[in-house]
């Protein structure tokens, strides 16, 4: 066993801690005995140096710009796989054979409808509610409808809940959009594949025929594959922490959606478009870069930077490459936004501040442009990210529940408040 010795210089006491080797990437120090042997906790706000769990799902090498799902490079999956196949891979650990894939696809299709009672929830929301707010609430409410399979200690129950979540998210998401624009819900059509079905539920109306554009469906599928999982990011860690108390999977995924919504995480795709649209000409770019570098200005270049990727985000590279091709294929006229995005990227990449801090375009920098080209409204961007990421969240939840032993997540703190003091009666207070 390899060890790392930690010595507390103030007491001279030492502890030998086990160094655990990873199959890829940095080893970790098991600090479990630090508190019992030295009376110390670690302090790591933002978890920049903390591995919170053991996992076999996704691997990221931030320096190489490498992303693997169950060992398979994202470039190969994006080029050759389907979202349903990737979902199977994430959930079960291996690529499916033909019959496994057909069976999985059939199961997901069978679960695309939602209990009709859920549709009545929608009318309780304000007409102009953000679809992410609706998504969060409706997904949380699923546990009140599907409590026939909520025993988290029963593997079959866990599997049914996982299938339900993956299958129902597109339906719930599309209904959230339809409600906010005052159109009737379009029910799933199970003859269609996962992404085509979602596009139809979003854009069809009962009044007209609607044909899904296969180029749009393939582009969406690619986006979904790229967003399917990303190791222990904020929303996945939120799902894991919520699950650690034994909470039901619908409540935990709802917590994950809430975390994803923030602009530093999944909400960035929406913020990128807002930022690009606020730039009326490329001549304004230097001013924007200057603002992003100003310590006294809270403004950040949205779609830039990543906690892990310090070279490039491989997902951004794939999306960037497909962006021009897709816009041409779809005959999209909105090219000025792409021009501004390319210029902004060019200007940032040659700027010393961005170079020194290793800030590169992330997955969200170009993804908004593609979603916009597909006719997806801005407030649905993070919703689509949520649909794609559901399989990742569910896979992490399933992995955690399958562990022999898991304990409730309960971090400690560096307390800097008052030490104990006596209660002061009202008439004695200043
Ligand atoms: N524009 C300008 N400066 C930046 C940016 C940016 N986009 N991102 C980081 N920095 C600076 C930051 O000010 C800090 O400077 P200093 O060291 O002088 O204080 C330094 O770079 C490190 O930043 P950090 O906030 O400590 O880094 P982090 O790892 O905690 O945050 C991040 C990562 C993605 C939240 C951050 O880069 C950011 O806010 N980016 C913009 C939002 C964004 O695009 N989010 C999508 C992330 S990818 C999709 C996903 O995973 O959800």
């Amino acid at each position: 066993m390899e060890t790392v010795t930690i010595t507390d210089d103030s007491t001279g006491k030492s502890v030998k801690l086990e160094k655990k080797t990873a199959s890829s990437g940095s080893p970790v120090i098991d600090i479990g005995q630090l508190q019992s042997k030295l009376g110390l906790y670690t302090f790591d706000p933002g978890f920049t140096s903390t591995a919170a769990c053991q996992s076999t799902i996704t691997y990221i090498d931030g320096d190489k710009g490498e992303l693997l799902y169950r060992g398979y490079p994202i470039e190969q999956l994006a080029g050759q796989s389907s979202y349903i196949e990737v979902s199977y891979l994430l959930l079960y650990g291996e690529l499916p054979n033909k019959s496994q894939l057909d069976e999985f696809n059939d199961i997901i299709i069978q679960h695309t409808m939602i209990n009709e009672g859920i549709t009545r929830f929608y009318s309780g929301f304000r007409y102009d509610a953000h679809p992410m707010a609706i998504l969060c609430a409706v997904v949380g409410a699923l546990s009140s409808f599907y409590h026939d399979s909520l025993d988290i200690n029963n593997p079959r129950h866990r599997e049914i809940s996982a299938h339900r979540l993956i299958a129902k998210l597109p339906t719930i998401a599309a209904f959230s959009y339809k409600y906010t624009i005052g159109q009737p819900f379009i029910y799933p059509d199970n003859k269609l594949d996962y992404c085509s079905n979602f596009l139809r539920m979003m854009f069809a109306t009962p009044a007209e025929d609607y044909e899904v554009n296969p180029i749009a469906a393939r582009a969406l599928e690619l986006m979904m594959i790229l967003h399917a999982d990303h190791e222990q990011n904020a929303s996945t860690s939120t799902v894991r922490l919520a699950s650690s108390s034994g909470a039901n999977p619908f409540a935990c995924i709802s917590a994950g959606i809430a975390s994803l919504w923030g602009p530093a995480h999944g909400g960035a795709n929406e913020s990128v478009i807002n930022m690009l649209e606020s730039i009326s000409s490329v001549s304004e770019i230097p001013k924007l870069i200057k603002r992003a570098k100003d310590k006294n200005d809270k403004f950040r270049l949205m779609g830039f930077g990543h906690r892990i990727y310090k070279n490039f985000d491989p997902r951004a590279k794939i999306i960037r490459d497909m962006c021009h091709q897709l816009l041409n294929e779809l005959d999209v006229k909105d090219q000025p936004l792409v021009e501004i995005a390319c210029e902004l990227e060019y200007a940032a990449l040659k700027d010393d501040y961005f170079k020194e801090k290793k800030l590169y375009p992330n997955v969200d920098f170009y993804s908004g442009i593609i979603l916009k080209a597909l006719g997806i409204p801005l407030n649905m961007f993070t919703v689509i990210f949520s649909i794609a990421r559901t399989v990742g969240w569910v896979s992490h939840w399933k992995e955690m529940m399958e562990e022999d032993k898991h304990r409730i997540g309960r971090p400690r703190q560096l307390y800097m408040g008052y030490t104990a003091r006596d209660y002061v009666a009202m008439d004695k207070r200043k």
Side-chain angles (χ1 to χ4, degrees):
M1 178 178 86
E2 282 189 63
T3 56
V4 171
T5 304
I6 307 273
T7 306
D8 181 343
D9 292 337
S10 63
T11 61
K13 280 192 197 163
S14 293
V15 61
K16 264 193 200 328
L17 299 172
E18 185 183 350
K19 187 169 156 190
K20 294 186 172 201
T21 312
S23 62
S24 297
S26 297
V28 301
I29 308 168
D30 182 342
I31 57 160
Q33 292 191 57
L34 203 59
Q35 160 54 224
S36 60
K37 295 276 167 60
L38 297 186
L40 295 173
Y41 294 118
T42 55
F43 181 61
D44 184 22
F47 306 117
T48 54
S49 306
T50 298
C53 64
Q54 185 172 317
S55 182
T56 60
I57 301 174
T58 290
Y59 174 71
I60 303 171
D61 184 323
D63 293 325
K64 278 207 290 199
E66 180 178 62
L67 169 61
L68 311 175
Y69 292 166
R70 301 284 191 185
Y72 296 102
I74 192 65
E75 293 79 3
Q76 292 180 21
L77 294 169
Q80 297 170 58
S81 190
S82 68
Y83 179 70
I84 282 293
E85 188 180 55
V86 166
S87 297
Y88 184 99
L89 173 68
L90 288 169
L91 205 54
Y92 297 108
E94 296 295 338
L95 285 170
N97 62 29
K98 173 86 174 73
S99 70
Q100 287 168 327
L101 182 61
D102 290 346
E103 190 193 349
F104 183 63
N105 203 27
D106 285 348
I107 292 169
I108 296 300
I109 281 172
Q110 280 159 25
H111 284 296
T112 51
M113 298 252 294
I114 53 175
N115 184 300
E116 197 59 17
I118 297 173
T119 62
R120 288 192 281 278
F121 274 46
Y122 285 81
S123 56
F125 292 103
R126 233 178 90 136
Y127 68 97
D128 57 354
H130 195 293
M132 276 302 276
I134 301 181
L135 190 73
C136 229
V138 175
V139 170
L142 291 179
S143 53
S144 64
F145 287 87
Y146 301 107
H147 42 73
D148 58 335
S149 53
L150 278 189
D151 179 359
I152 56 163
N153 298 314
N154 179 329
R156 182 65 192 131
H157 279 207
R158 294 200 295 259
E159 188 169 39
I160 295 170
S161 292
H163 293 159
R164 281 180 168 150
L165 276 157
I166 296 165
K168 292 182 199 308
L169 251 286
T171 313
I172 296 168
F175 284 14
S176 306
Y177 171 60
K178 286 296 196 189
Y179 175 72
T180 58
I181 58 164
Q183 285 189 2
F185 299 146
I186 300 293
Y187 288 88
D189 175 350
N190 290 343
K191 290 194 295 300
L192 297 175
D193 63 78
Y194 195 85
C195 290
S196 302
N197 208 356
F198 173 68
L199 287 173
R200 186 179 158 277
M201 288 190 282
M202 282 280 294
F203 298 121
T205 67
E208 286 174 11
D209 291 337
Y210 179 83
E211 282 285 320
V212 179
N213 180 341
I215 301 171
R218 179 60 199 152
L220 183 63
E221 178 132 35
L222 187 62
M223 297 284 290
M224 303 272 288
I225 292 172
L226 298 179
H227 285 85
D229 192 43
H230 212 231
E231 207 229 61
Q232 311 306 326
N233 53 81
S235 56
T236 303
S237 300
T238 302
V239 170
R240 279 186 178 262
L241 193 58
S243 320
S244 76
S245 70
N248 77 66
F250 302 107
C252 297
I253 301 305
S254 172
I257 294 170
S259 168
L260 187 77
W261 194 3
H265 193 5
N269 51 18
E270 197 176 324
S271 311
V272 168
I273 295 295
N274 285 329
M275 179 185 73
L276 294 177
E277 285 182 339
S278 74
I279 308 171
S280 51
S281 113
V282 291
S283 63
E284 291 176 19
I285 289 175
K287 208 171 67 197
L288 210 71
I289 300 261
K290 200 167 164 223
R291 278 194 66 196
K293 298 192 299 187
D294 183 353
K295 281 263 153 282
N296 301 314
D297 190 332
K298 287 219 173 314
F299 174 77
R300 284 187 168 197
L301 220 49
M302 298 313 288
F304 264 79
H306 199 275
R307 170 63 64 79
I308 313 286
Y309 295 119
K310 298 299 174 199
N311 185 335
F312 64 90
D313 178 339
R315 304 165 302 170
K317 204 160 171 270
I318 296 170
I319 293 187
R320 191 185 190 282
D321 290 348
M322 83 180 272
C323 194
H324 292 281
Q325 188 197 343
L326 180 77
L327 294 180
N328 287 334
E329 280 177 5
L330 291 174
D331 198 20
V332 173
K333 304 282 176 253
D334 197 9
Q335 307 275 3
L337 217 54
V338 183
E339 196 197 329
I340 286 177
C342 290
E343 285 297 323
L344 186 58
E345 181 184 1
Y346 178 72
L349 290 183
K350 65 180 178 40
D351 189 285
D352 284 345
Y353 172 95
F354 286 84
K355 277 199 238 171
E356 273 158 26
K357 294 192 186 299
K358 300 187 174 176
L359 300 169
Y360 293 86
N362 59 50
V363 68
D364 287 324
F365 192 66
Y366 281 99
S367 67
I369 295 175
I370 292 184
L371 292 176
K372 198 164 181 286
L374 299 181
I376 308 279
L378 200 56
N379 63 4
M380 285 296 287
F381 286 10
T382 316
V383 172
I384 289 181
F385 193 161
S386 308
I387 301 174
R389 186 54 60 83
T390 293
V391 70
W393 293 327
V394 161
S395 302
H396 283 270
W397 169 74
K398 183 170 166 280
E399 177 176 71
M400 192 171 154
M401 291 301 131
E402 284 167 359
E403 283 166 6
D404 295 341
K405 197 170 109 187
H406 50 91
R407 303 176 77 188
I408 187 164
R410 184 27 175 117
R412 298 305 303 260
Q413 62 179 0
L414 172 64
Y415 177 69
M416 298 295 278
Y418 286 108
T419 52
R421 53 185 180 156
D422 289 328
Y423 179 78
V424 181
M426 183 64 82
D427 60 347
K428 301 269 168 24
R429 290 180 211 164
K430 284 186 212 145

